[in-house]
Amino acid sequence: MTATAPALTALAQGWCALSLLHGKIESHLERALQAGHGLSVREYSLLDVLGRQHDGEGGHLQMKQVADSVVLSQSATTRLVTRLEDRGLLERYLCPTDRRGIYTDVTEAGLKLLGEARPTNEAALRAALQEAAEDPRLEPLVRTVETARKPAVIAA
């Protein structure tokens, strides 16, 4: 059992470093988005995901896809959608081809706020990564994040 202990320790240390980096980035983004735009990280993420939808075949996301994209349960995502809808940033409507389906779109006010918040998010992300890169435990992960340029694909 002791022969695998160093490997487990290295694995656990890697996970701790990744968790630490995520926490540092998220708290940096949260402060910047709240201060500048009255948005939480989750609210920004939801607006961003929904703002990238398009009309036409396959253009709108199902709630499960949205929930997976913002890393929340479907019920938490529904509550988040409701909060943003109450603020006039999102609107829901019935799917024209399947009356059981409900789509969510970003309103003009939501798109305006999203456009204003994107540079803040980008600057806060750059600042958080720059700060994290000074920590030798996090520097390799920061390099990985900075070189991972492929956009995430949302699975159907």
Side-chain angles (χ1 to χ4, degrees):
M1 182 113 170
T2 57
T4 60
L8 291 174
T9 301
L11 183 61
Q13 287 175 341
W15 170 244
C16 285
L18 182 59
S19 182
L20 178 63
L21 178 61
H22 178 269
K24 284 180 175 287
I25 291 171
E26 190 166 56
S27 66
H28 212 98
L29 293 174
E30 187 75 35
R31 284 190 307 273
L33 289 168
Q34 278 291 348
H37 309 284
L39 288 172
S40 71
V41 170
R42 297 285 188 218
E43 291 168 337
Y44 174 84
S45 295
L46 181 64
L47 286 172
D48 187 51
V49 166
L50 293 174
R52 294 176 193 276
Q53 293 185 125
H54 60 86
D55 290 328
E57 187 67 31
H60 286 87
L61 303 173
Q62 297 172 349
M63 195 56 77
K64 180 179 180 347
Q65 294 171 298
V66 174
D68 289 346
S69 296
V70 295
V71 194
L72 290 174
S73 68
Q74 283 185 256
S75 60
T77 302
T78 299
R79 289 190 301 274
L80 185 58
V81 166
T82 300
R83 278 199 314 272
L84 292 176
E85 186 178 35
D86 290 348
R87 290 175 58 187
L89 303 174
L90 297 178
E91 61 188 3
R92 291 184 243 203
Y93 64 95
L94 292 175
C95 172
T97 58
D98 179 1
R99 306 284 291 168
R100 296 168 297 170
I102 298 174
Y103 288 145
T104 305
D105 265 343
V106 182
T107 63
E108 287 301 317
L111 289 172
K112 181 178 184 295
L113 182 58
L114 179 60
E116 293 166 356
R118 273 198 175 116
T120 301
N121 185 71
E122 183 74 18
L125 178 57
R126 287 183 193 281
L129 288 171
Q130 187 174 21
E131 182 181 304
E134 295 172 11
D135 184 332
R137 299 169 299 164
L138 302 180
E139 191 274 332
L141 294 172
V142 170
R143 255 187 294 125
T144 300
V145 169
E146 291 174 337
T147 58
R149 302 260 186 236
K150 286 187 177 179
V153 176
I154 300 169

mmCIF file of all heavy atoms in Angstrom, residues 61-105:
data_model
loop_
_atom_site.group_PDB
_atom_site.id
_atom_site.type_symbol
_atom_site.label_atom_id
_atom_site.label_comp_id
_atom_site.label_asym_id
_atom_site.label_seq_id
_atom_site.Cartn_x
_atom_site.Cartn_y
_atom_site.Cartn_z
ATOM 1 N N LEU A 61 -30.581 25.937 -27.019
ATOM 2 C CA LEU A 61 -30.154 24.893 -26.100
ATOM 3 C C LEU A 61 -31.301 24.455 -25.206
ATOM 4 O O LEU A 61 -32.091 25.277 -24.757
ATOM 5 C CB LEU A 61 -29.007 25.414 -25.223
ATOM 6 C CG LEU A 61 -27.787 25.935 -25.971
ATOM 7 C CD1 LEU A 61 -26.813 26.574 -24.992
ATOM 8 C CD2 LEU A 61 -27.119 24.820 -26.739
ATOM 9 N N GLN A 62 -31.323 23.167 -24.925
ATOM 10 C CA GLN A 62 -32.259 22.654 -23.941
ATOM 11 C C GLN A 62 -31.737 23.026 -22.557
ATOM 12 O O GLN A 62 -30.535 23.252 -22.371
ATOM 13 C CB GLN A 62 -32.372 21.140 -24.061
ATOM 14 C CG GLN A 62 -32.931 20.670 -25.384
ATOM 15 C CD GLN A 62 -32.848 19.159 -25.528
ATOM 16 O OE1 GLN A 62 -32.208 18.479 -24.738
ATOM 17 N NE2 GLN A 62 -33.513 18.646 -26.546
ATOM 18 N N MET A 63 -32.627 23.055 -21.571
ATOM 19 C CA MET A 63 -32.230 23.466 -20.228
ATOM 20 C C MET A 63 -31.114 22.583 -19.680
ATOM 21 O O MET A 63 -30.220 23.071 -18.998
ATOM 22 C CB MET A 63 -33.434 23.462 -19.287
ATOM 23 C CG MET A 63 -33.181 24.200 -18.008
ATOM 24 S SD MET A 63 -32.643 25.924 -18.201
ATOM 25 C CE MET A 63 -34.171 26.718 -18.584
ATOM 26 N N LYS A 64 -31.108 21.289 -19.999
ATOM 27 C CA LYS A 64 -30.033 20.412 -19.528
ATOM 28 C C LYS A 64 -28.688 20.841 -20.117
ATOM 29 O O LYS A 64 -27.675 20.854 -19.437
ATOM 30 C CB LYS A 64 -30.309 18.951 -19.869
ATOM 31 C CG LYS A 64 -29.182 18.045 -19.375
ATOM 32 C CD LYS A 64 -29.409 16.609 -19.666
ATOM 33 C CE LYS A 64 -28.330 15.697 -19.185
ATOM 34 N NZ LYS A 64 -27.080 16.206 -18.765
ATOM 35 N N GLN A 65 -28.682 21.216 -21.386
ATOM 36 C CA GLN A 65 -27.458 21.692 -22.021
ATOM 37 C C GLN A 65 -26.979 22.987 -21.366
ATOM 38 O O GLN A 65 -25.786 23.170 -21.144
ATOM 39 C CB GLN A 65 -27.669 21.918 -23.514
ATOM 40 C CG GLN A 65 -27.937 20.654 -24.296
ATOM 41 C CD GLN A 65 -28.354 20.978 -25.707
ATOM 42 O OE1 GLN A 65 -29.383 21.622 -25.932
ATOM 43 N NE2 GLN A 65 -27.560 20.547 -26.665
ATOM 44 N N VAL A 66 -27.904 23.872 -21.075
ATOM 45 C CA VAL A 66 -27.559 25.127 -20.419
ATOM 46 C C VAL A 66 -26.995 24.834 -19.031
ATOM 47 O O VAL A 66 -25.964 25.367 -18.637
ATOM 48 C CB VAL A 66 -28.783 26.074 -20.332
ATOM 49 C CG1 VAL A 66 -28.456 27.312 -19.518
ATOM 50 C CG2 VAL A 66 -29.250 26.454 -21.729
ATOM 51 N N ALA A 67 -27.666 23.956 -18.282
ATOM 52 C CA ALA A 67 -27.220 23.595 -16.933
ATOM 53 C C ALA A 67 -25.810 23.006 -16.972
ATOM 54 O O ALA A 67 -24.952 23.354 -16.146
ATOM 55 C CB ALA A 67 -28.195 22.603 -16.298
ATOM 56 N N ASP A 68 -25.553 22.123 -17.930
ATOM 57 C CA ASP A 68 -24.212 21.537 -18.060
ATOM 58 C C ASP A 68 -23.174 22.607 -18.383
ATOM 59 O O ASP A 68 -22.051 22.557 -17.895
ATOM 60 C CB ASP A 68 -24.201 20.457 -19.152
ATOM 61 C CG ASP A 68 -24.953 19.197 -18.763
ATOM 62 O OD1 ASP A 68 -25.273 19.018 -17.560
ATOM 63 O OD2 ASP A 68 -25.238 18.386 -19.671
ATOM 64 N N SER A 69 -23.549 23.575 -19.187
ATOM 65 C CA SER A 69 -22.617 24.631 -19.590
ATOM 66 C C SER A 69 -22.228 25.546 -18.444
ATOM 67 O O SER A 69 -21.107 26.049 -18.402
ATOM 68 C CB SER A 69 -23.220 25.482 -20.709
ATOM 69 O OG SER A 69 -23.420 24.696 -21.850
ATOM 70 N N VAL A 70 -23.161 25.791 -17.521
ATOM 71 C CA VAL A 70 -22.868 26.683 -16.398
ATOM 72 C C VAL A 70 -22.570 25.901 -15.122
ATOM 73 O O VAL A 70 -22.415 26.490 -14.051
ATOM 74 C CB VAL A 70 -23.995 27.720 -16.159
ATOM 75 C CG1 VAL A 70 -24.104 28.671 -17.336
ATOM 76 C CG2 VAL A 70 -25.322 27.052 -15.877
ATOM 77 N N VAL A 71 -22.477 24.579 -15.255
ATOM 78 C CA VAL A 71 -22.113 23.673 -14.163
ATOM 79 C C VAL A 71 -23.034 23.850 -12.953
ATOM 80 O O VAL A 71 -22.594 24.098 -11.835
ATOM 81 C CB VAL A 71 -20.621 23.824 -13.760
ATOM 82 C CG1 VAL A 71 -20.185 22.648 -12.888
ATOM 83 C CG2 VAL A 71 -19.722 23.937 -14.971
ATOM 84 N N LEU A 72 -24.330 23.749 -13.223
ATOM 85 C CA LEU A 72 -25.349 23.797 -12.181
ATOM 86 C C LEU A 72 -26.352 22.683 -12.438
ATOM 87 O O LEU A 72 -26.452 22.175 -13.562
ATOM 88 C CB LEU A 72 -26.093 25.141 -12.209
ATOM 89 C CG LEU A 72 -25.356 26.385 -11.772
ATOM 90 C CD1 LEU A 72 -26.215 27.615 -12.027
ATOM 91 C CD2 LEU A 72 -24.971 26.305 -10.309
ATOM 92 N N SER A 73 -27.122 22.337 -11.422
ATOM 93 C CA SER A 73 -28.214 21.390 -11.619
ATOM 94 C C SER A 73 -29.287 22.069 -12.460
ATOM 95 O O SER A 73 -29.309 23.303 -12.578
ATOM 96 C CB SER A 73 -28.793 20.962 -10.271
ATOM 97 O OG SER A 73 -29.448 22.063 -9.658
ATOM 98 N N GLN A 74 -30.191 21.262 -13.010
ATOM 99 C CA GLN A 74 -31.259 21.855 -13.812
ATOM 100 C C GLN A 74 -32.154 22.747 -12.954
ATOM 101 O O GLN A 74 -32.572 23.819 -13.401
ATOM 102 C CB GLN A 74 -32.076 20.765 -14.498
ATOM 103 C CG GLN A 74 -31.359 20.188 -15.715
ATOM 104 C CD GLN A 74 -32.212 19.204 -16.471
ATOM 105 O OE1 GLN A 74 -32.016 18.015 -16.372
ATOM 106 N NE2 GLN A 74 -33.157 19.713 -17.234
ATOM 107 N N SER A 75 -32.416 22.347 -11.713
ATOM 108 C CA SER A 75 -33.283 23.168 -10.865
ATOM 109 C C SER A 75 -32.591 24.484 -10.494
ATOM 110 O O SER A 75 -33.232 25.543 -10.492
ATOM 111 C CB SER A 75 -33.703 22.404 -9.611
ATOM 112 O OG SER A 75 -32.577 22.039 -8.843
ATOM 113 N N ALA A 76 -31.292 24.452 -10.212
ATOM 114 C CA ALA A 76 -30.556 25.689 -9.908
ATOM 115 C C ALA A 76 -30.500 26.588 -11.143
ATOM 116 O O ALA A 76 -30.605 27.815 -11.029
ATOM 117 C CB ALA A 76 -29.158 25.376 -9.405
ATOM 118 N N THR A 77 -30.361 25.989 -12.306
ATOM 119 C CA THR A 77 -30.341 26.766 -13.545
ATOM 120 C C THR A 77 -31.693 27.424 -13.782
ATOM 121 O O THR A 77 -31.763 28.599 -14.161
ATOM 122 C CB THR A 77 -29.956 25.878 -14.743
ATOM 123 O OG1 THR A 77 -28.677 25.290 -14.486
ATOM 124 C CG2 THR A 77 -29.897 26.667 -16.038
ATOM 125 N N THR A 78 -32.770 26.692 -13.519
ATOM 126 C CA THR A 78 -34.108 27.258 -13.668
ATOM 127 C C THR A 78 -34.299 28.442 -12.732
ATOM 128 O O THR A 78 -34.846 29.481 -13.132
ATOM 129 C CB THR A 78 -35.181 26.180 -13.418
ATOM 130 O OG1 THR A 78 -35.006 25.142 -14.389
ATOM 131 C CG2 THR A 78 -36.588 26.750 -13.539
ATOM 132 N N ARG A 79 -33.850 28.318 -11.486
ATOM 133 C CA ARG A 79 -33.954 29.441 -10.542
ATOM 134 C C ARG A 79 -33.137 30.633 -11.025
ATOM 135 O O ARG A 79 -33.569 31.790 -10.932
ATOM 136 C CB ARG A 79 -33.508 29.011 -9.137
ATOM 137 C CG ARG A 79 -34.490 28.075 -8.449
ATOM 138 C CD ARG A 79 -34.146 27.858 -6.988
ATOM 139 N NE ARG A 79 -32.832 27.298 -6.758
ATOM 140 C CZ ARG A 79 -32.536 25.999 -6.756
ATOM 141 N NH1 ARG A 79 -33.487 25.109 -7.007
ATOM 142 N NH2 ARG A 79 -31.313 25.582 -6.518
ATOM 143 N N LEU A 80 -31.949 30.364 -11.572
ATOM 144 C CA LEU A 80 -31.095 31.432 -12.086
ATOM 145 C C LEU A 80 -31.752 32.118 -13.283
ATOM 146 O O LEU A 80 -31.758 33.356 -13.377
ATOM 147 C CB LEU A 80 -29.726 30.854 -12.470
ATOM 148 C CG LEU A 80 -28.651 31.815 -12.929
ATOM 149 C CD1 LEU A 80 -28.360 32.873 -11.870
ATOM 150 C CD2 LEU A 80 -27.376 31.032 -13.257
ATOM 151 N N VAL A 81 -32.335 31.334 -14.172
ATOM 152 C CA VAL A 81 -33.060 31.895 -15.322
ATOM 153 C C VAL A 81 -34.201 32.777 -14.834
ATOM 154 O O VAL A 81 -34.397 33.892 -15.338
ATOM 155 C CB VAL A 81 -33.581 30.772 -16.252
ATOM 156 C CG1 VAL A 81 -34.623 31.305 -17.240
ATOM 157 C CG2 VAL A 81 -32.429 30.121 -17.015
ATOM 158 N N THR A 82 -34.927 32.310 -13.828
ATOM 159 C CA THR A 82 -36.047 33.091 -13.296
ATOM 160 C C THR A 82 -35.568 34.426 -12.727
ATOM 161 O O THR A 82 -36.194 35.467 -12.972
ATOM 162 C CB THR A 82 -36.800 32.282 -12.217
ATOM 163 O OG1 THR A 82 -37.302 31.086 -12.826
ATOM 164 C CG2 THR A 82 -37.951 33.074 -11.621
ATOM 165 N N ARG A 83 -34.463 34.411 -11.980
ATOM 166 C CA ARG A 83 -33.931 35.672 -11.423
ATOM 167 C C ARG A 83 -33.563 36.650 -12.534
ATOM 168 O O ARG A 83 -33.867 37.842 -12.456
ATOM 169 C CB ARG A 83 -32.702 35.398 -10.549
ATOM 170 C CG ARG A 83 -33.023 34.957 -9.165
ATOM 171 C CD ARG A 83 -31.867 35.129 -8.198
ATOM 172 N NE ARG A 83 -30.571 34.687 -8.646
ATOM 173 C CZ ARG A 83 -30.091 33.446 -8.502
ATOM 174 N NH1 ARG A 83 -30.824 32.519 -7.933
ATOM 175 N NH2 ARG A 83 -28.880 33.144 -8.916
ATOM 176 N N LEU A 84 -32.903 36.152 -13.576
ATOM 177 C CA LEU A 84 -32.502 37.033 -14.675
ATOM 178 C C LEU A 84 -33.707 37.470 -15.505
ATOM 179 O O LEU A 84 -33.731 38.585 -16.039
ATOM 180 C CB LEU A 84 -31.435 36.357 -15.538
ATOM 181 C CG LEU A 84 -30.089 36.161 -14.851
ATOM 182 C CD1 LEU A 84 -29.121 35.389 -15.744
ATOM 183 C CD2 LEU A 84 -29.477 37.484 -14.437
ATOM 184 N N GLU A 85 -34.704 36.606 -15.600
ATOM 185 C CA GLU A 85 -35.936 36.978 -16.301
ATOM 186 C C GLU A 85 -36.646 38.086 -15.521
ATOM 187 O O GLU A 85 -37.144 39.050 -16.114
ATOM 188 C CB GLU A 85 -36.830 35.743 -16.425
ATOM 189 C CG GLU A 85 -38.071 35.956 -17.258
ATOM 190 C CD GLU A 85 -38.886 34.689 -17.393
ATOM 191 O OE1 GLU A 85 -38.948 33.892 -16.442
ATOM 192 O OE2 GLU A 85 -39.488 34.515 -18.474
ATOM 193 N N ASP A 86 -36.678 37.980 -14.192
ATOM 194 C CA ASP A 86 -37.294 39.013 -13.354
ATOM 195 C C ASP A 86 -36.580 40.361 -13.500
ATOM 196 O O ASP A 86 -37.204 41.412 -13.343
ATOM 197 C CB ASP A 86 -37.294 38.589 -11.879
ATOM 198 C CG ASP A 86 -38.258 37.449 -11.587
ATOM 199 O OD1 ASP A 86 -39.105 37.129 -12.460
ATOM 200 O OD2 ASP A 86 -38.137 36.848 -10.501
ATOM 201 N N ARG A 87 -35.305 40.327 -13.816
ATOM 202 C CA ARG A 87 -34.537 41.565 -14.023
ATOM 203 C C ARG A 87 -34.661 42.084 -15.456
ATOM 204 O O ARG A 87 -34.071 43.107 -15.797
ATOM 205 C CB ARG A 87 -33.054 41.324 -13.702
ATOM 206 C CG ARG A 87 -32.789 41.118 -12.226
ATOM 207 C CD ARG A 87 -31.355 40.755 -11.935
ATOM 208 N NE ARG A 87 -30.389 41.742 -12.399
ATOM 209 C CZ ARG A 87 -29.080 41.551 -12.354
ATOM 210 N NH1 ARG A 87 -28.569 40.437 -11.860
ATOM 211 N NH2 ARG A 87 -28.265 42.489 -12.797
ATOM 212 N N GLY A 88 -35.371 41.359 -16.305
ATOM 213 C CA GLY A 88 -35.565 41.784 -17.690
ATOM 214 C C GLY A 88 -34.389 41.453 -18.598
ATOM 215 O O GLY A 88 -34.290 41.989 -19.704
ATOM 216 N N LEU A 89 -33.517 40.542 -18.172
ATOM 217 C CA LEU A 89 -32.330 40.202 -18.955
ATOM 218 C C LEU A 89 -32.534 38.966 -19.826
ATOM 219 O O LEU A 89 -31.800 38.759 -20.798
ATOM 220 C CB LEU A 89 -31.132 40.000 -18.023
ATOM 221 C CG LEU A 89 -30.802 41.205 -17.125
ATOM 222 C CD1 LEU A 89 -29.695 40.853 -16.143
ATOM 223 C CD2 LEU A 89 -30.429 42.415 -17.968
ATOM 224 N N LEU A 90 -33.517 38.146 -19.468
ATOM 225 C CA LEU A 90 -33.855 36.942 -20.231
ATOM 226 C C LEU A 90 -35.353 36.889 -20.434
ATOM 227 O O LEU A 90 -36.115 37.508 -19.695
ATOM 228 C CB LEU A 90 -33.440 35.670 -19.464
ATOM 229 C CG LEU A 90 -31.976 35.436 -19.176
ATOM 230 C CD1 LEU A 90 -31.814 34.148 -18.367
ATOM 231 C CD2 LEU A 90 -31.163 35.360 -20.448
ATOM 232 N N GLU A 91 -35.766 36.113 -21.449
ATOM 233 C CA GLU A 91 -37.187 35.840 -21.650
ATOM 234 C C GLU A 91 -37.334 34.399 -22.109
ATOM 235 O O GLU A 91 -36.458 33.854 -22.772
ATOM 236 C CB GLU A 91 -37.806 36.808 -22.651
ATOM 237 C CG GLU A 91 -37.190 36.755 -24.037
ATOM 238 C CD GLU A 91 -37.696 37.853 -24.953
ATOM 239 O OE1 GLU A 91 -38.479 38.699 -24.507
ATOM 240 O OE2 GLU A 91 -37.288 37.858 -26.123
ATOM 241 N N ARG A 92 -38.423 33.791 -21.708
ATOM 242 C CA ARG A 92 -38.714 32.409 -22.100
ATOM 243 C C ARG A 92 -39.879 32.405 -23.085
ATOM 244 O O ARG A 92 -40.758 33.266 -23.022
ATOM 245 C CB ARG A 92 -39.099 31.575 -20.881
ATOM 246 C CG ARG A 92 -37.957 31.329 -19.949
ATOM 247 C CD ARG A 92 -38.400 30.416 -18.838
ATOM 248 N NE ARG A 92 -38.289 31.133 -17.583
ATOM 249 C CZ ARG A 92 -38.175 30.568 -16.410
ATOM 250 N NH1 ARG A 92 -38.183 29.261 -16.321
ATOM 251 N NH2 ARG A 92 -38.087 31.286 -15.324
ATOM 252 N N TYR A 93 -39.872 31.413 -23.986
ATOM 253 C CA TYR A 93 -40.980 31.253 -24.917
ATOM 254 C C TYR A 93 -41.073 29.792 -25.320
ATOM 255 O O TYR A 93 -40.111 29.031 -25.184
ATOM 256 C CB TYR A 93 -40.818 32.157 -26.146
ATOM 257 C CG TYR A 93 -39.613 31.838 -26.994
ATOM 258 C CD1 TYR A 93 -39.734 31.010 -28.104
ATOM 259 C CD2 TYR A 93 -38.359 32.363 -26.694
ATOM 260 C CE1 TYR A 93 -38.631 30.710 -28.890
ATOM 261 C CE2 TYR A 93 -37.257 32.071 -27.470
ATOM 262 C CZ TYR A 93 -37.397 31.243 -28.568
ATOM 263 O OH TYR A 93 -36.300 30.942 -29.334
ATOM 264 N N LEU A 94 -42.247 29.403 -25.810
ATOM 265 C CA LEU A 94 -42.470 28.022 -26.220
ATOM 266 C C LEU A 94 -41.758 27.724 -27.531
ATOM 267 O O LEU A 94 -41.723 28.562 -28.439
ATOM 268 C CB LEU A 94 -43.965 27.742 -26.380
ATOM 269 C CG LEU A 94 -44.793 27.744 -25.106
ATOM 270 C CD1 LEU A 94 -46.273 27.584 -25.435
ATOM 271 C CD2 LEU A 94 -44.338 26.633 -24.173
ATOM 272 N N CYS A 95 -41.228 26.529 -27.623
ATOM 273 C CA CYS A 95 -40.598 26.059 -28.861
ATOM 274 C C CYS A 95 -41.672 25.987 -29.945
ATOM 275 O O CYS A 95 -42.739 25.418 -29.729
ATOM 276 C CB CYS A 95 -39.987 24.673 -28.619
ATOM 277 S SG CYS A 95 -39.376 23.886 -30.113
ATOM 278 N N PRO A 96 -41.426 26.580 -31.116
ATOM 279 C CA PRO A 96 -42.455 26.595 -32.162
ATOM 280 C C PRO A 96 -42.768 25.207 -32.734
ATOM 281 O O PRO A 96 -43.862 24.983 -33.242
ATOM 282 C CB PRO A 96 -41.874 27.511 -33.240
ATOM 283 C CG PRO A 96 -40.429 27.658 -32.928
ATOM 284 C CD PRO A 96 -40.237 27.323 -31.490
ATOM 285 N N THR A 97 -41.851 24.258 -32.636
ATOM 286 C CA THR A 97 -42.085 22.929 -33.209
ATOM 287 C C THR A 97 -42.475 21.887 -32.165
ATOM 288 O O THR A 97 -42.940 20.817 -32.518
ATOM 289 C CB THR A 97 -40.821 22.439 -33.954
ATOM 290 O OG1 THR A 97 -39.727 22.411 -33.032
ATOM 291 C CG2 THR A 97 -40.508 23.330 -35.136
ATOM 292 N N ASP A 98 -42.276 22.183 -30.899
ATOM 293 C CA ASP A 98 -42.629 21.257 -29.823
ATOM 294 C C ASP A 98 -43.145 22.083 -28.655
ATOM 295 O O ASP A 98 -42.365 22.632 -27.881
ATOM 296 C CB ASP A 98 -41.403 20.435 -29.402
ATOM 297 C CG ASP A 98 -41.703 19.463 -28.270
ATOM 298 O OD1 ASP A 98 -42.863 19.405 -27.803
ATOM 299 O OD2 ASP A 98 -40.773 18.757 -27.849
ATOM 300 N N ARG A 99 -44.445 22.179 -28.525
ATOM 301 C CA ARG A 99 -45.071 23.061 -27.540
ATOM 302 C C ARG A 99 -44.691 22.698 -26.099
ATOM 303 O O ARG A 99 -44.933 23.454 -25.192
ATOM 304 C CB ARG A 99 -46.601 23.045 -27.695
ATOM 305 C CG ARG A 99 -47.090 23.357 -29.096
ATOM 306 C CD ARG A 99 -47.025 24.769 -29.484
ATOM 307 N NE ARG A 99 -47.978 25.595 -28.761
ATOM 308 C CZ ARG A 99 -47.929 26.902 -28.783
ATOM 309 N NH1 ARG A 99 -47.012 27.500 -29.495
ATOM 310 N NH2 ARG A 99 -48.788 27.613 -28.115
ATOM 311 N N ARG A 100 -44.079 21.534 -25.890
ATOM 312 C CA ARG A 100 -43.637 21.164 -24.543
ATOM 313 C C ARG A 100 -42.297 21.809 -24.209
ATOM 314 O O ARG A 100 -41.948 21.953 -23.053
ATOM 315 C CB ARG A 100 -43.503 19.652 -24.405
ATOM 316 C CG ARG A 100 -44.822 18.904 -24.557
ATOM 317 C CD ARG A 100 -44.562 17.436 -24.697
ATOM 318 N NE ARG A 100 -43.798 17.225 -25.924
ATOM 319 C CZ ARG A 100 -43.230 16.081 -26.262
ATOM 320 N NH1 ARG A 100 -43.313 15.050 -25.489
ATOM 321 N NH2 ARG A 100 -42.577 15.963 -27.394
ATOM 322 N N GLY A 101 -41.535 22.171 -25.236
ATOM 323 C CA GLY A 101 -40.204 22.739 -25.032
ATOM 324 C C GLY A 101 -40.259 24.232 -24.753
ATOM 325 O O GLY A 101 -41.065 24.949 -25.332
ATOM 326 N N ILE A 102 -39.409 24.664 -23.854
ATOM 327 C CA ILE A 102 -39.324 26.089 -23.533
ATOM 328 C C ILE A 102 -37.889 26.539 -23.798
ATOM 329 O O ILE A 102 -36.942 25.923 -23.331
ATOM 330 C CB ILE A 102 -39.701 26.360 -22.061
ATOM 331 C CG1 ILE A 102 -41.145 25.950 -21.810
ATOM 332 C CG2 ILE A 102 -39.496 27.834 -21.727
ATOM 333 C CD1 ILE A 102 -41.571 26.046 -20.367
ATOM 334 N N TYR A 103 -37.773 27.616 -24.567
ATOM 335 C CA TYR A 103 -36.469 28.197 -24.842
ATOM 336 C C TYR A 103 -36.278 29.448 -23.995
ATOM 337 O O TYR A 103 -37.242 30.074 -23.564
ATOM 338 C CB TYR A 103 -36.331 28.593 -26.312
ATOM 339 C CG TYR A 103 -36.191 27.441 -27.275
ATOM 340 C CD1 TYR A 103 -36.759 27.510 -28.537
ATOM 341 C CD2 TYR A 103 -35.477 26.296 -26.949
ATOM 342 C CE1 TYR A 103 -36.619 26.483 -29.448
ATOM 343 C CE2 TYR A 103 -35.340 25.262 -27.848
ATOM 344 C CZ TYR A 103 -35.910 25.356 -29.095
ATOM 345 O OH TYR A 103 -35.768 24.338 -29.991
ATOM 346 N N THR A 104 -35.042 29.796 -23.813
ATOM 347 C CA THR A 104 -34.703 31.022 -23.093
ATOM 348 C C THR A 104 -33.788 31.840 -23.981
ATOM 349 O O THR A 104 -32.814 31.315 -24.512
ATOM 350 C CB THR A 104 -33.982 30.685 -21.771
ATOM 351 O OG1 THR A 104 -34.802 29.805 -21.016
ATOM 352 C CG2 THR A 104 -33.705 31.932 -20.968
ATOM 353 N N ASP A 105 -34.116 33.099 -24.153
ATOM 354 C CA ASP A 105 -33.294 34.006 -24.960
ATOM 355 C C ASP A 105 -32.880 35.208 -24.133
ATOM 356 O O ASP A 105 -33.586 35.616 -23.210
ATOM 357 C CB ASP A 105 -34.071 34.512 -26.178
ATOM 358 C CG ASP A 105 -33.810 33.684 -27.420
ATOM 359 O OD1 ASP A 105 -32.823 32.943 -27.459
ATOM 360 O OD2 ASP A 105 -34.626 33.788 -28.355
#
